């Protein structure tokens, strides 16, 4: 479990996300679930950054879209992010995917979730 988030950060690693989903189901009623989801959220953001940096000119919808959906889901569950991860995702995403509707939609949702009045971000 400790090594999985680092593997998830590598682009195009869908098999590891299947394992992560299974671990999430096992931890469903555990006190560790929130911490686990925070690790997954960070890994998801870092994975998207890697993807955006690798394919700078074109969006790989088949790979990026599931990650964006996962990011949206995790944001709803965790509602807090590491500021450095958030900054890097926004910076890289806007640099390389400023025309990508899927990225912009998730970015809008994230901004609404993270910048609520009661948010510390």
């Amino acid at each position: 479990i400790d090594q999985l988030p680092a593997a998830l950060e590598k682009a195009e690693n869908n098999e590891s996300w299947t394992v992560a989903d299974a671990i999430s189901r096992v931890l469903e009623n555990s006190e560790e679930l929130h911490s686990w989801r925070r690790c997954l959220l960070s890994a998801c953001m870092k994975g998207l950054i890697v993807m955006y940096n690798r394919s700078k000119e074109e969006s790989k919808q088949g790979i990026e879209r599931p990650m964006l959906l996962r990011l949206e889901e995790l944001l709803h569950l965790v509602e807090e992010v590491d500021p450095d991860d958030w900054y890097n995702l926004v910076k890289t995403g806007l640099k390389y995917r400023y025309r990508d509707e899927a990225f912009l939609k998730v970015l809008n949702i994230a901004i609404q979730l993270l910048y609520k009045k009661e948010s510390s971000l």
Side-chain angles (χ1 to χ4, degrees), residues 6-65:
L8 295 173
E9 293 172 16
K10 296 181 178 129
E12 304 173 30
N13 199 338
N14 292 326
E15 296 82 19
S16 295
W17 281 104
T18 303
V19 174
D21 291 339
I23 293 170
S24 295
R25 285 190 295 276
V26 169
L27 294 175
E28 192 65 39
N29 295 320
S30 168
E31 294 176 6
E32 298 173 30
L33 182 61
H34 186 71
S35 174
W36 173 246
R37 285 179 174 160
R38 286 189 70 191
C39 289
L40 293 181
L41 179 59
S42 178
C44 186
M45 289 192 291
K46 289 175 182 173
L48 281 166
I49 292 166
V50 169
M51 282 186 218
Y52 294 159
N53 281 318
R54 282 193 183 158
S55 57
K56 296 175 181 174
E57 301 301 321
E58 63 183 67
S59 173
K60 300 202 177 197
Q61 293 292 331
I63 299 167
E64 292 176 13
R65 186 165 304 267

Side-chain angles (χ1 to χ4, degrees), residues 59-74:
S59 173
K60 300 202 177 197
Q61 293 292 331
I63 299 167
E64 292 176 13
R65 186 165 304 267
M67 288 292 285
L68 286 168
L69 292 173
R70 183 176 298 279
L71 176 65
E72 181 181 346
E73 176 188 353
L74 288 167

Side-chain angles (χ1 to χ4, degrees), residues 106-117:
V106 172
L107 180 63
N108 184 38
I109 290 167
I111 288 170
Q112 290 176 14
L113 282 170
L114 297 174
Y115 290 94
K116 294 187 282 191
K117 286 185 177 184

Side-chain angles (χ1 to χ4, degrees), residues 71-96:
L71 176 65
E72 181 181 346
E73 176 188 353
L74 288 167
L75 283 167
H76 280 287
L77 295 170
V78 177
E79 292 188 351
E80 59 183 303
V81 295
D82 177 84
D84 291 333
D85 292 343
W86 174 243
Y87 169 78
N88 289 324
L89 176 66
V90 171
K91 178 183 164 191
T92 307
L94 289 175
K95 184 174 183 180
Y96 300 118

